[in-house]
Amino acid sequence: MDTIPGSAQSRLRQYGAFNGLGLWTLYKREVGRFLKVWMQTVFAPVVTTLLFMTVFKLAFGDRGRLTGDFEGMNYNDFLAPGLIMMAILQNAFSNTSSSLLQAKFNATHVDFLMPPLSPLELTIAFLGGAVTRGLVVAAISAIAIQLSGLANLHVAHIWPIVWFTLTSAIILGALGAYGGIWADKFDHLAAVTNFIIVPLTFLSGTFYDIKVMVEPFQTLAYLNPIFYMIDGYRYGHLGVANGSILVGAIYTGVLALASMIWIWLLFRRGYKLKA
């Protein structure tokens, strides 16, 4: 029986129960992938957010005032957190969905299936890349909005900003991962974006106080998970919310955990990735 020489055996990399180096390498690949085309993945979403803010600023000026829970607040200050969260959701979804679908098209998904990476490590790396892209776009958008004077982004409570940013990016990153694994062509991803992500975002109070909605749409809005993401993040800046922050924190926390388990199970089964 052939044996490995002692010197060669000593050079073999040993892996424990958790392959931290492999996880870090895949995470860097995911981050480097979107940073390589930063004009498309970072700059374009920031410009879109600023254009939204500019259009509403020109339309309402300083006359936009709200009623209900946000009575007396400037509309642009109300709008800005919603647009920032919308950018987080869209970019977290796009990062994982495009990465996995392109890998399937180019048959390069073996690059992360063949190395000694467990389903948990794959899940953390891909969702980590989605969260990173969402945070980068959100941070640049917030700084640009504040410096341009389009709105005043006060920080009333820091923990909702951190909590709802992370959980929201994880949830949409997981949904994007499923979309990238499930889809056979980009039209499938476009259908998910156009018929699920965009409607849920626009009907979640991004642009308005949901209490102006008539029934049953107002009740349905409280079932929309994106409403709690936007409402919780907005509470972090304004200190006022439409719904219960505790319910929103629990709701998004449970969804984030469930979505991570869901993607872990897909990687474990090799759904549409392994023959």
Side-chain angles (χ1 to χ4, degrees), residues 149-202:
L150 292 171
N152 291 316
L153 286 170
H154 304 290
V155 177
H157 307 282
I158 190 64
W159 76 263
I161 294 176
V162 175
W163 176 263
F164 287 100
T165 296
L166 293 177
T167 55
S168 301
I170 290 171
I171 294 168
L172 268 293
L175 182 60
Y178 174 73
I181 294 172
W182 162 78
D184 294 321
K185 51 186 178 180
F186 281 97
D187 288 348
H188 292 164
L189 280 184
V192 174
T193 301
N194 295 331
F195 296 109
I196 298 179
I197 306 299
V198 172
L200 287 179
T201 302
F202 276 68

Side-chain angles (χ1 to χ4, degrees), residues 190-219:
V192 174
T193 301
N194 295 331
F195 296 109
I196 298 179
I197 306 299
V198 172
L200 287 179
T201 302
F202 276 68
L203 296 175
S204 60
T206 303
F207 301 96
Y208 53 84
D209 184 334
I210 67 164
K211 291 187 178 177
V212 303
M213 301 175 72
V214 298
E215 293 294 351
F217 298 105
Q218 185 178 135
T219 300

